[in-house]
Amino acid sequence: MPSNTPPVADLASLAKFAGQAVTIRGWVHHLRSSGKVRFLVVRDGTGLAQGVLVKGNLPEEDFKQFDRLTLESSLILTGRVRAEPRAPGGYELEVISLQPLNIAQDYPIAPKEHGVAFLMDRRHLWLRSPRQQAVMRVRDEVCRACRGFFHARGFLEVDTPILTPTACEGTTNLFETDYLGRGKAYLSQSGQLYLEAAAMALGKVYCFGPTFRAEKSKTRRHLTEFWMVEAEAAFYTLEDIMQLAEDLVRFVVLKVLENQEVQLQILERDPTPLAAVSGPFPRLSYAETLARLQEQGKEPAWGEDLGGDEETLVSQMFDRPVLVHRYPLSCKAFYMEADPKDPRLALCMDMLAPEGYGEIIGGSQRVADLDTLLARLEEHHLPQEPLEWYLDLRRYGSVPHSGFGLGVERLVAWLCGLTHVREAIPFPRLLDRLYP
RNA sequence: UCCCCGGUAGCUCAGCUGGUAGAGCGGGUGGCUGUUAACCACUUGGUCGGCGGUUCGAAUCCGUCCCGGGGAGCCA
């Protein structure tokens, strides 16, 4: 190696080095040979670039190394960057040195069709594919946009526990573990109750973390481990939280459109339906929603929660997310405040993403009164003792407050146009999958 | 848990009115001085998911179990 090694360049910024010699480090994405001219496409995590090996332009030894290369072999290349219209990206590297680091053996994922099970078993390798990389970049943008939004609104990030002594809602199945011989602990299915405590301390708070549900759900919308952004604010009403949820989703979607246009192109995701979020989101009461469904020939019974089919129908009625509010109290969780104008209804809301993606947010105004909450616990057959701390929030300066939770994978799936949430998280946990 | 569909080469699949297995891609070898999922030639490749049954004979028909996919309920 010459003593003056050329600078290392990211493939994404190769154009800046036009005319100069650079070093690039990465993995073989593609190989082609035409005798004495050989091509390889390298990826380095920032992008792709083509290298050209012309016999005579580099040491014969290095030229021969090309024949050893396989898909996903790692290597270090040096060469001169030059504009080349025939190369993908418009620039290519005229290789003057090729140094393999590791020759990959039998890389299983070809740039061909593969079945879902095959790819999921190799998720650790599948992540290297351009589409999967694009999804991860959109996910990263979503996460950062959420945090940016809340900080701009004066919300404080508060981390809630993952190991919990009790169920938050009692209804869904929990993952159970032994807690050092002191009894059972459960993996958190929501940070909400703790977030309510934090809101009484800090006013406006949010959390961002994994949640776990041991539901035997086998659908395109379910994971057993998924990430949720939850917000909780003292003195916020249902109307306030609906506006906050709408503003959050609008902000996040516009950020993705602004910063991740290239990824959406890789995913062949038409951005037009996403751009509709800049307008106000329609709001429908549960009663109005039932009426709309009846127009479509459905006959949903009052008092029932909306099923997946009905959600899909409602979300297809609009070109942007829709907020459905004031469901019957009877089909909702114990902590939801009743509507003073109609006590049969809960001050709650769901946000349904368009294009059939369904629920991405669920939220409500919380019960503020101690006696009401106690009565609710009884109705739902929930034990009072483990929730004494939660009841304390109603004993010591209770105030009206509201919050919601946003499912990160569902939002990412919608933004990327995915058919299943399992591609929206790096290593999905599903009913029948705990590997890799 | 329930209802559908599927399991054949490393991958994606064809073969399924019973007669002992095929394609494309991948892998390997050779050729090619501008390739774009390159191309051309040759070549390698299989307990047809497991077990049991029917039959002279089963990838094919029947039973059962296992695994995968899609959907329902529940939810973000």
Short mmCIF file of all heavy atoms in Angstrom, two decimals, chain A residues 30 32-33 82 86 92 112-115 213 217 220 222-223 410 422, chain B residues 1 11-12 25 32-38 70-71 73-76:
data_model
loop_
_atom_site.label_atom_id
_atom_site.label_comp_id
_atom_site.label_asym_id
_atom_site.label_seq_id
_atom_site.Cartn_x
_atom_site.Cartn_y
_atom_site.Cartn_z
N HIS A 30 -23.28 -6.83 -6.10
CA HIS A 30 -23.54 -7.41 -7.40
C HIS A 30 -22.23 -7.56 -8.16
O HIS A 30 -21.32 -6.75 -7.98
CB HIS A 30 -24.50 -6.49 -8.18
CG HIS A 30 -25.09 -7.16 -9.37
ND1 HIS A 30 -25.86 -8.28 -9.27
CD2 HIS A 30 -24.99 -6.89 -10.69
CE1 HIS A 30 -26.23 -8.66 -10.48
NE2 HIS A 30 -25.71 -7.84 -11.36
N ARG A 32 -20.45 -8.58 -12.12
CA ARG A 32 -20.60 -8.92 -13.53
C ARG A 32 -19.22 -8.93 -14.15
O ARG A 32 -18.36 -8.13 -13.78
CB ARG A 32 -21.46 -7.87 -14.25
CG ARG A 32 -22.92 -7.90 -13.93
CD ARG A 32 -23.66 -6.85 -14.73
NE ARG A 32 -23.22 -5.50 -14.37
CZ ARG A 32 -23.73 -4.79 -13.38
NH1 ARG A 32 -24.68 -5.29 -12.64
NH2 ARG A 32 -23.28 -3.59 -13.12
N SER A 33 -19.02 -9.84 -15.07
CA SER A 33 -17.72 -9.89 -15.72
C SER A 33 -17.91 -9.94 -17.22
O SER A 33 -18.81 -10.59 -17.72
CB SER A 33 -16.95 -11.13 -15.28
OG SER A 33 -15.81 -11.28 -16.11
N ARG A 82 -15.05 9.01 -11.04
CA ARG A 82 -15.31 9.82 -12.24
C ARG A 82 -16.78 9.70 -12.64
O ARG A 82 -17.44 8.70 -12.37
CB ARG A 82 -14.39 9.39 -13.37
CG ARG A 82 -14.64 8.00 -13.86
CD ARG A 82 -14.15 7.81 -15.29
NE ARG A 82 -14.70 6.55 -15.76
CZ ARG A 82 -13.98 5.56 -16.27
NH1 ARG A 82 -12.69 5.70 -16.42
NH2 ARG A 82 -14.57 4.45 -16.69
N ARG A 86 -23.18 5.71 -17.60
CA ARG A 86 -23.63 4.31 -17.67
C ARG A 86 -23.70 3.66 -16.28
O ARG A 86 -24.27 2.59 -16.12
CB ARG A 86 -22.69 3.50 -18.56
CG ARG A 86 -22.84 3.81 -20.04
CD ARG A 86 -21.75 3.16 -20.86
NE ARG A 86 -20.44 3.74 -20.59
CZ ARG A 86 -19.33 3.45 -21.29
NH1 ARG A 86 -19.38 2.58 -22.28
NH2 ARG A 86 -18.18 4.02 -21.00
N GLU A 92 -18.72 6.42 -10.93
CA GLU A 92 -18.18 5.08 -10.68
C GLU A 92 -16.72 5.19 -10.25
O GLU A 92 -16.09 6.25 -10.34
CB GLU A 92 -18.32 4.19 -11.92
CG GLU A 92 -17.43 4.59 -13.07
CD GLU A 92 -17.55 3.63 -14.26
OE1 GLU A 92 -18.50 2.84 -14.30
OE2 GLU A 92 -16.67 3.71 -15.13
N LYS A 112 -33.65 -12.30 -6.23
CA LYS A 112 -34.76 -12.99 -6.89
C LYS A 112 -35.90 -13.08 -5.91
O LYS A 112 -35.82 -12.58 -4.81
CB LYS A 112 -34.32 -14.41 -7.29
CG LYS A 112 -33.07 -14.47 -8.12
CD LYS A 112 -33.34 -14.19 -9.56
CE LYS A 112 -32.05 -14.17 -10.35
NZ LYS A 112 -32.24 -13.69 -11.71
N GLU A 113 -36.92 -13.79 -6.29
CA GLU A 113 -38.06 -13.96 -5.38
C GLU A 113 -37.71 -14.96 -4.28
O GLU A 113 -37.05 -15.95 -4.52
CB GLU A 113 -39.29 -14.51 -6.13
CG GLU A 113 -39.55 -13.92 -7.48
CD GLU A 113 -39.94 -15.00 -8.48
OE1 GLU A 113 -40.65 -15.93 -8.09
OE2 GLU A 113 -39.52 -14.90 -9.64
N HIS A 114 -38.21 -14.66 -3.09
CA HIS A 114 -38.08 -15.62 -2.00
C HIS A 114 -39.39 -15.62 -1.23
O HIS A 114 -40.12 -14.64 -1.24
CB HIS A 114 -36.95 -15.20 -1.05
CG HIS A 114 -35.58 -15.34 -1.64
ND1 HIS A 114 -35.03 -16.55 -1.94
CD2 HIS A 114 -34.67 -14.41 -2.01
CE1 HIS A 114 -33.83 -16.37 -2.46
NE2 HIS A 114 -33.58 -15.08 -2.53
N GLY A 115 -39.65 -16.70 -0.55
CA GLY A 115 -40.86 -16.78 0.25
C GLY A 115 -40.68 -16.05 1.57
O GLY A 115 -39.55 -15.78 2.00
N ARG A 213 -47.35 -8.03 24.06
CA ARG A 213 -48.70 -8.59 24.21
C ARG A 213 -48.69 -10.03 23.74
O ARG A 213 -48.37 -10.32 22.59
CB ARG A 213 -49.71 -7.78 23.40
CG ARG A 213 -49.65 -6.32 23.87
CD ARG A 213 -50.91 -5.56 23.75
NE ARG A 213 -50.67 -4.20 24.23
CZ ARG A 213 -51.40 -3.15 23.90
NH1 ARG A 213 -52.43 -3.30 23.09
NH2 ARG A 213 -51.11 -1.97 24.38
N SER A 217 -52.70 -13.42 18.23
CA SER A 217 -53.17 -12.72 17.03
C SER A 217 -52.28 -13.05 15.85
O SER A 217 -51.07 -12.91 15.93
CB SER A 217 -53.17 -11.21 17.25
OG SER A 217 -53.88 -10.89 18.41
N ARG A 220 -51.86 -9.25 9.81
CA ARG A 220 -50.81 -8.39 9.25
C ARG A 220 -50.56 -7.17 10.13
O ARG A 220 -49.67 -6.39 9.87
CB ARG A 220 -51.21 -7.95 7.85
CG ARG A 220 -52.41 -7.01 7.81
CD ARG A 220 -52.83 -6.70 6.41
NE ARG A 220 -53.30 -7.90 5.70
CZ ARG A 220 -53.51 -7.95 4.39
NH1 ARG A 220 -53.27 -6.90 3.64
NH2 ARG A 220 -53.96 -9.05 3.83
N HIS A 222 -50.30 -7.35 13.65
CA HIS A 222 -49.92 -7.71 15.02
C HIS A 222 -48.51 -8.24 15.17
O HIS A 222 -48.05 -9.07 14.40
CB HIS A 222 -50.89 -8.76 15.57
CG HIS A 222 -52.22 -8.19 15.92
ND1 HIS A 222 -53.22 -8.06 15.00
CD2 HIS A 222 -52.69 -7.68 17.06
CE1 HIS A 222 -54.27 -7.50 15.58
NE2 HIS A 222 -53.96 -7.26 16.84
N LEU A 223 -47.87 -7.76 16.23
CA LEU A 223 -46.59 -8.30 16.68
C LEU A 223 -46.76 -8.59 18.17
O LEU A 223 -47.60 -7.99 18.82
CB LEU A 223 -45.48 -7.24 16.51
CG LEU A 223 -45.17 -6.78 15.08
CD1 LEU A 223 -44.34 -5.51 15.11
CD2 LEU A 223 -44.44 -7.88 14.32
N ARG A 410 -47.14 0.10 12.90
CA ARG A 410 -48.30 0.30 12.03
C ARG A 410 -48.16 1.59 11.22
O ARG A 410 -48.53 1.63 10.04
CB ARG A 410 -49.59 0.34 12.85
CG ARG A 410 -49.96 -1.03 13.36
CD ARG A 410 -51.29 -1.00 14.08
NE ARG A 410 -51.65 -2.34 14.53
CZ ARG A 410 -52.76 -2.60 15.21
NH1 ARG A 410 -53.61 -1.63 15.51
NH2 ARG A 410 -53.03 -3.83 15.59
N ARG A 422 -44.58 -6.89 10.11
CA ARG A 422 -43.34 -7.60 10.45
C ARG A 422 -42.12 -7.02 9.75
O ARG A 422 -40.99 -7.22 10.19
CB ARG A 422 -43.46 -9.09 10.12
CG ARG A 422 -43.61 -9.36 8.65
CD ARG A 422 -43.93 -10.83 8.35
NE ARG A 422 -44.45 -10.93 7.00
CZ ARG A 422 -45.34 -11.82 6.59
NH1 ARG A 422 -45.83 -12.68 7.44
NH2 ARG A 422 -45.77 -11.83 5.35
P U B 1 -54.00 -24.27 20.24
OP1 U B 1 -53.51 -23.47 21.35
OP2 U B 1 -53.94 -25.72 20.19
"O5'" U B 1 -55.51 -23.82 19.96
"C5'" U B 1 -56.58 -24.20 20.83
"C4'" U B 1 -57.83 -23.47 20.41
"O4'" U B 1 -57.63 -22.04 20.56
"C3'" U B 1 -58.22 -23.63 18.95
"O3'" U B 1 -58.92 -24.83 18.72
"C2'" U B 1 -59.07 -22.38 18.71
"O2'" U B 1 -60.37 -22.57 19.20
"C1'" U B 1 -58.36 -21.34 19.56
N1 U B 1 -57.42 -20.50 18.77
C2 U B 1 -57.95 -19.49 17.98
O2 U B 1 -59.15 -19.29 17.92
N3 U B 1 -57.04 -18.75 17.28
C4 U B 1 -55.67 -18.90 17.28
O4 U B 1 -54.98 -18.17 16.60
C5 U B 1 -55.19 -19.96 18.12
C6 U B 1 -56.06 -20.70 18.82
P C B 11 -34.30 -24.13 -0.25
OP1 C B 11 -34.91 -23.84 1.06
OP2 C B 11 -34.71 -25.32 -1.01
"O5'" C B 11 -34.48 -22.84 -1.18
"C5'" C B 11 -34.28 -21.53 -0.65
"C4'" C B 11 -34.57 -20.51 -1.73
"O4'" C B 11 -33.67 -20.73 -2.84
"C3'" C B 11 -35.96 -20.61 -2.34
"O3'" C B 11 -36.90 -19.89 -1.58
"C2'" C B 11 -35.75 -20.01 -3.72
"O2'" C B 11 -35.73 -18.60 -3.65
"C1'" C B 11 -34.34 -20.49 -4.07
N1 C B 11 -34.32 -21.75 -4.85
C2 C B 11 -34.66 -21.71 -6.20
O2 C B 11 -35.02 -20.63 -6.69
N3 C B 11 -34.60 -22.85 -6.94
C4 C B 11 -34.22 -23.99 -6.37
N4 C B 11 -34.16 -25.08 -7.14
C5 C B 11 -33.88 -24.06 -4.99
C6 C B 11 -33.93 -22.94 -4.27
P U B 12 -38.43 -20.33 -1.56
OP1 U B 12 -39.14 -19.43 -0.63
OP2 U B 12 -38.48 -21.78 -1.37
"O5'" U B 12 -38.90 -20.01 -3.05
"C5'" U B 12 -39.13 -18.66 -3.45
"C4'" U B 12 -39.64 -18.63 -4.87
"O4'" U B 12 -38.61 -19.13 -5.76
"C3'" U B 12 -40.82 -19.55 -5.13
"O3'" U B 12 -42.05 -18.97 -4.71
"C2'" U B 12 -40.73 -19.72 -6.65
"O2'" U B 12 -41.23 -18.59 -7.32
"C1'" U B 12 -39.21 -19.79 -6.86
N1 U B 12 -38.71 -21.19 -6.91
C2 U B 12 -38.73 -21.84 -8.13
O2 U B 12 -39.16 -21.30 -9.14
N3 U B 12 -38.27 -23.12 -8.12
C4 U B 12 -37.78 -23.82 -7.03
O4 U B 12 -37.39 -24.97 -7.17
C5 U B 12 -37.79 -23.08 -5.79
C6 U B 12 -38.24 -21.83 -5.77
P C B 25 -31.96 -19.37 -16.40
OP1 C B 25 -31.50 -18.27 -17.26
OP2 C B 25 -31.38 -20.72 -16.56
"O5'" C B 25 -31.78 -18.94 -14.87
"C5'" C B 25 -32.15 -17.63 -14.44
"C4'" C B 25 -32.22 -17.56 -12.94
"O4'" C B 25 -33.10 -18.59 -12.43
"C3'" C B 25 -30.92 -17.83 -12.18
"O3'" C B 25 -30.02 -16.74 -12.19
"C2'" C B 25 -31.45 -18.13 -10.79
"O2'" C B 25 -31.87 -16.96 -10.14
"C1'" C B 25 -32.68 -18.98 -11.14
N1 C B 25 -32.30 -20.42 -11.15
C2 C B 25 -32.16 -21.06 -9.91
O2 C B 25 -32.37 -20.41 -8.87
N3 C B 25 -31.78 -22.35 -9.88
C4 C B 25 -31.54 -23.00 -11.02
N4 C B 25 -31.16 -24.28 -10.93
C5 C B 25 -31.68 -22.38 -12.30
C6 C B 25 -32.06 -21.09 -12.31
P C B 32 -11.73 -15.03 -23.75
OP1 C B 32 -10.59 -14.80 -24.66
OP2 C B 32 -11.51 -15.12 -22.29
"O5'" C B 32 -12.82 -13.90 -24.02
"C5'" C B 32 -13.29 -13.64 -25.33
"C4'" C B 32 -14.51 -12.76 -25.27
"O4'" C B 32 -15.57 -13.45 -24.55
"C3'" C B 32 -14.33 -11.46 -24.48
"O3'" C B 32 -13.72 -10.45 -25.26
"C2'" C B 32 -15.78 -11.13 -24.12
"O2'" C B 32 -16.46 -10.57 -25.21
"C1'" C B 32 -16.34 -12.52 -23.82
N1 C B 32 -16.28 -12.87 -22.38
C2 C B 32 -17.34 -12.48 -21.55
O2 C B 32 -18.29 -11.85 -22.03
N3 C B 32 -17.30 -12.78 -20.23
C4 C B 32 -16.24 -13.45 -19.74
N4 C B 32 -16.24 -13.73 -18.44
C5 C B 32 -15.15 -13.86 -20.56
C6 C B 32 -15.21 -13.55 -21.87
P U B 33 -12.54 -9.55 -24.63
OP1 U B 33 -11.48 -9.37 -25.61
OP2 U B 33 -12.26 -10.14 -23.28
"O5'" U B 33 -13.26 -8.15 -24.40
"C5'" U B 33 -14.34 -8.02 -23.48
"C4'" U B 33 -14.47 -6.58 -23.08
"O4'" U B 33 -13.20 -6.13 -22.53
"C3'" U B 33 -14.80 -5.64 -24.23
"O3'" U B 33 -15.70 -4.67 -23.73
"C2'" U B 33 -13.46 -5.00 -24.56
"O2'" U B 33 -13.57 -3.70 -25.09
"C1'" U B 33 -12.82 -4.92 -23.17
N1 U B 33 -11.36 -4.85 -23.16
C2 U B 33 -10.81 -3.65 -22.76
O2 U B 33 -11.50 -2.68 -22.44
N3 U B 33 -9.45 -3.61 -22.76
C4 U B 33 -8.61 -4.62 -23.08
O4 U B 33 -7.41 -4.43 -23.02
C5 U B 33 -9.24 -5.84 -23.48
C6 U B 33 -10.57 -5.91 -23.50
P G B 34 -16.91 -4.09 -24.61
OP1 G B 34 -17.66 -5.22 -25.20
OP2 G B 34 -16.43 -3.00 -25.46
"O5'" G B 34 -17.78 -3.45 -23.45
"C5'" G B 34 -18.28 -4.28 -22.40
"C4'" G B 34 -19.25 -3.44 -21.59
"O4'" G B 34 -18.50 -2.65 -20.64
"C3'" G B 34 -20.05 -2.46 -22.44
"O3'" G B 34 -21.33 -2.30 -21.86
"C2'" G B 34 -19.30 -1.15 -22.26
"O2'" G B 34 -20.10 0.00 -22.42
"C1'" G B 34 -18.84 -1.30 -20.80
N9 G B 34 -17.68 -0.48 -20.43
C8 G B 34 -16.45 -0.45 -21.01
N7 G B 34 -15.63 0.38 -20.41
C5 G B 34 -16.37 0.91 -19.38
C6 G B 34 -16.01 1.87 -18.39
O6 G B 34 -14.94 2.44 -18.22
N1 G B 34 -17.08 2.15 -17.54
C2 G B 34 -18.32 1.57 -17.63
N2 G B 34 -19.20 1.96 -16.74
N3 G B 34 -18.67 0.68 -18.55
C4 G B 34 -17.64 0.40 -19.38
P U B 35 -22.61 -2.87 -22.55
OP1 U B 35 -22.25 -3.63 -23.75
OP2 U B 35 -23.59 -1.75 -22.64
"O5'" U B 35 -23.15 -3.87 -21.44
"C5'" U B 35 -22.64 -5.19 -21.38
"C4'" U B 35 -22.55 -5.62 -19.95
"O4'" U B 35 -21.56 -4.83 -19.26
"C3'" U B 35 -23.83 -5.38 -19.16
"O3'" U B 35 -24.74 -6.43 -19.37
"C2'" U B 35 -23.31 -5.36 -17.73
"O2'" U B 35 -23.08 -6.66 -17.25
"C1'" U B 35 -21.94 -4.68 -17.90
N1 U B 35 -21.93 -3.25 -17.56
C2 U B 35 -21.98 -2.90 -16.22
O2 U B 35 -22.06 -3.73 -15.34
N3 U B 35 -21.94 -1.56 -15.96
C4 U B 35 -21.84 -0.55 -16.88
O4 U B 35 -21.81 0.61 -16.49
C5 U B 35 -21.79 -0.99 -18.24
C6 U B 35 -21.84 -2.29 -18.53
P U B 36 -26.30 -6.15 -19.15
OP1 U B 36 -27.02 -7.35 -19.61
OP2 U B 36 -26.68 -4.81 -19.70
"O5'" U B 36 -26.39 -6.09 -17.58
"C5'" U B 36 -27.65 -6.08 -16.92
"C4'" U B 36 -27.58 -5.19 -15.72
"O4'" U B 36 -26.49 -4.25 -15.85
"C3'" U B 36 -28.85 -4.37 -15.52
"O3'" U B 36 -29.19 -4.39 -14.16
"C2'" U B 36 -28.45 -2.98 -15.97
"O2'" U B 36 -29.13 -1.97 -15.31
"C1'" U B 36 -26.95 -2.95 -15.60
N1 U B 36 -26.23 -1.99 -16.43
C2 U B 36 -25.75 -0.83 -15.83
O2 U B 36 -25.91 -0.61 -14.64
N3 U B 36 -25.12 0.04 -16.68
C4 U B 36 -24.90 -0.13 -18.01
O4 U B 36 -24.31 0.75 -18.64
C5 U B 36 -25.42 -1.34 -18.56
C6 U B 36 -26.06 -2.21 -17.77
P A B 37 -30.72 -4.62 -13.78
OP1 A B 37 -31.58 -4.83 -14.94
OP2 A B 37 -30.93 -3.46 -12.89
"O5'" A B 37 -30.78 -5.94 -12.89
"C5'" A B 37 -29.79 -6.18 -11.91
"C4'" A B 37 -29.64 -7.67 -11.73
"O4'" A B 37 -30.92 -8.24 -11.38
"C3'" A B 37 -29.19 -8.40 -13.01
"O3'" A B 37 -28.35 -9.49 -12.66
"C2'" A B 37 -30.49 -8.94 -13.58
"O2'" A B 37 -30.33 -10.10 -14.35
"C1'" A B 37 -31.25 -9.26 -12.29
N9 A B 37 -32.70 -9.26 -12.48
C8 A B 37 -33.49 -8.29 -13.03
N7 A B 37 -34.75 -8.60 -13.06
C5 A B 37 -34.80 -9.86 -12.49
C6 A B 37 -35.85 -10.74 -12.23
N6 A B 37 -37.11 -10.46 -12.52
N1 A B 37 -35.55 -11.93 -11.67
C2 A B 37 -34.28 -12.20 -11.37
N3 A B 37 -33.21 -11.44 -11.56
C4 A B 37 -33.53 -10.29 -12.13
P A B 38 -26.80 -9.28 -12.97
OP1 A B 38 -26.13 -10.54 -12.67
OP2 A B 38 -26.39 -8.04 -12.33
"O5'" A B 38 -26.76 -9.01 -14.56
"C5'" A B 38 -26.80 -10.10 -15.42
"C4'" A B 38 -26.89 -9.57 -16.83
"O4'" A B 38 -25.68 -8.82 -17.15
"C3'" A B 38 -26.95 -10.65 -17.90
"O3'" A B 38 -28.27 -11.15 -18.05
"C2'" A B 38 -26.47 -9.87 -19.12
"O2'" A B 38 -27.48 -9.04 -19.64
"C1'" A B 38 -25.36 -9.01 -18.51
N9 A B 38 -24.04 -9.67 -18.57
C8 A B 38 -23.35 -10.27 -17.56
N7 A B 38 -22.21 -10.77 -17.94
C5 A B 38 -22.15 -10.50 -19.30
C6 A B 38 -21.19 -10.78 -20.29
N6 A B 38 -20.05 -11.41 -20.05
N1 A B 38 -21.46 -10.37 -21.55
C2 A B 38 -22.61 -9.74 -21.79
N3 A B 38 -23.59 -9.41 -20.94
C4 A B 38 -23.29 -9.82 -19.71
P G B 70 -48.78 -14.15 6.07
OP1 G B 70 -48.31 -12.82 5.64
OP2 G B 70 -48.69 -14.55 7.49
"O5'" G B 70 -50.29 -14.36 5.61
"C5'" G B 70 -50.69 -13.96 4.30
"C4'" G B 70 -52.12 -14.34 4.06
"O4'" G B 70 -52.27 -15.77 4.20
"C3'" G B 70 -53.13 -13.79 5.05
"O3'" G B 70 -53.47 -12.45 4.77
"C2'" G B 70 -54.30 -14.73 4.84
"O2'" G B 70 -55.02 -14.42 3.66
"C1'" G B 70 -53.59 -16.06 4.66
N9 G B 70 -53.50 -16.79 5.94
C8 G B 70 -52.39 -16.92 6.75
N7 G B 70 -52.64 -17.63 7.83
C5 G B 70 -53.97 -17.97 7.72
C6 G B 70 -54.80 -18.74 8.58
O6 G B 70 -54.50 -19.28 9.65
N1 G B 70 -56.10 -18.85 8.09
C2 G B 70 -56.54 -18.29 6.92
N2 G B 70 -57.82 -18.49 6.61
N3 G B 70 -55.78 -17.58 6.10
C4 G B 70 -54.52 -17.47 6.56
P G B 71 -53.85 -11.45 6.02
OP1 G B 71 -54.12 -10.13 5.42
OP2 G B 71 -52.84 -11.59 7.08
"O5'" G B 71 -55.21 -12.10 6.55
"C5'" G B 71 -56.44 -11.79 5.91
"C4'" G B 71 -57.55 -12.67 6.42
"O4'" G B 71 -57.11 -14.05 6.52
"C3'" G B 71 -58.09 -12.38 7.80
"O3'" G B 71 -58.92 -11.25 7.85
"C2'" G B 71 -58.86 -13.67 8.08
"O2'" G B 71 -60.09 -13.68 7.38
"C1'" G B 71 -57.93 -14.72 7.49
N9 G B 71 -57.08 -15.30 8.54
C8 G B 71 -55.73 -15.09 8.75
N7 G B 71 -55.28 -15.75 9.78
C5 G B 71 -56.38 -16.43 10.28
C6 G B 71 -56.51 -17.31 11.39
O6 G B 71 -55.63 -17.67 12.18
N1 G B 71 -57.82 -17.77 11.53
C2 G B 71 -58.87 -17.42 10.73
N2 G B 71 -60.05 -17.96 11.03
N3 G B 71 -58.76 -16.61 9.68
C4 G B 71 -57.50 -16.16 9.53
P G B 73 -62.70 -9.84 13.44
OP1 G B 73 -63.91 -9.00 13.35
OP2 G B 73 -61.37 -9.26 13.11
"O5'" G B 73 -62.61 -10.48 14.90
"C5'" G B 73 -63.79 -10.87 15.59
"C4'" G B 73 -63.40 -11.64 16.83
"O4'" G B 73 -62.50 -12.70 16.45
"C3'" G B 73 -62.63 -10.83 17.87
"O3'" G B 73 -63.51 -10.19 18.78
"C2'" G B 73 -61.77 -11.88 18.56
"O2'" G B 73 -62.49 -12.55 19.58
"C1'" G B 73 -61.49 -12.86 17.41
N9 G B 73 -60.19 -12.59 16.78
C8 G B 73 -59.91 -11.71 15.77
N7 G B 73 -58.65 -11.71 15.42
C5 G B 73 -58.07 -12.67 16.23
C6 G B 73 -56.73 -13.11 16.32
O6 G B 73 -55.76 -12.73 15.66
N1 G B 73 -56.58 -14.10 17.29
C2 G B 73 -57.58 -14.58 18.08
N2 G B 73 -57.23 -15.51 18.95
N3 G B 73 -58.84 -14.18 18.01
C4 G B 73 -59.01 -13.22 17.08
P C B 74 -63.40 -8.60 19.05
OP1 C B 74 -64.50 -8.24 19.96
OP2 C B 74 -63.28 -7.89 17.76
"O5'" C B 74 -62.03 -8.47 19.83
"C5'" C B 74 -61.91 -8.94 21.17
"C4'" C B 74 -60.47 -8.88 21.57
"O4'" C B 74 -59.71 -9.70 20.66
"C3'" C B 74 -59.83 -7.51 21.48
"O3'" C B 74 -60.05 -6.72 22.64
"C2'" C B 74 -58.36 -7.86 21.30
"O2'" C B 74 -57.77 -8.21 22.53
"C1'" C B 74 -58.44 -9.11 20.43
N1 C B 74 -58.30 -8.81 18.99
C2 C B 74 -57.04 -8.94 18.40
O2 C B 74 -56.09 -9.29 19.11
N3 C B 74 -56.89 -8.66 17.08
C4 C B 74 -57.95 -8.28 16.35
N4 C B 74 -57.76 -8.04 15.06
C5 C B 74 -59.25 -8.14 16.93
C6 C B 74 -59.38 -8.40 18.24
P C B 75 -60.25 -5.11 22.47
OP1 C B 75 -60.29 -4.57 23.85
OP2 C B 75 -61.36 -4.83 21.55
"O5'" C B 75 -58.90 -4.65 21.77
"C5'" C B 75 -57.98 -3.84 22.48
"C4'" C B 75 -56.59 -4.14 22.02
"O4'" C B 75 -56.63 -5.18 21.01
"C3'" C B 75 -55.87 -2.97 21.33
"O3'" C B 75 -55.22 -2.14 22.27
"C2'" C B 75 -54.85 -3.72 20.46
"O2'" C B 75 -53.75 -4.15 21.22
"C1'" C B 75 -55.66 -4.93 20.01
N1 C B 75 -56.34 -4.74 18.71
C2 C B 75 -55.56 -4.57 17.55
O2 C B 75 -54.32 -4.56 17.66
N3 C B 75 -56.17 -4.41 16.36
C4 C B 75 -57.50 -4.43 16.27
N4 C B 75 -58.07 -4.27 15.08
C5 C B 75 -58.33 -4.57 17.43
C6 C B 75 -57.71 -4.72 18.61
P A B 76 -55.14 -0.52 22.04
OP1 A B 76 -54.99 0.12 23.34
OP2 A B 76 -56.25 -0.19 21.19
"O5'" A B 76 -53.81 -0.27 21.20
"C5'" A B 76 -53.19 1.00 21.31
"C4'" A B 76 -52.43 1.32 20.05
"O4'" A B 76 -51.29 0.43 19.92
"C3'" A B 76 -53.29 1.21 18.79
"O3'" A B 76 -53.23 2.35 18.02
"C2'" A B 76 -52.75 -0.01 18.08
"O2'" A B 76 -52.70 0.21 16.73
"C1'" A B 76 -51.34 -0.20 18.65
N9 A B 76 -51.09 -1.63 18.84
C8 A B 76 -51.71 -2.48 19.68
N7 A B 76 -51.28 -3.71 19.61
C5 A B 76 -50.30 -3.67 18.64
C6 A B 76 -49.46 -4.66 18.09
N6 A B 76 -49.51 -5.93 18.49
N1 A B 76 -48.58 -4.28 17.12
C2 A B 76 -48.56 -2.98 16.75
N3 A B 76 -49.31 -1.97 17.19
C4 A B 76 -50.16 -2.38 18.15
#
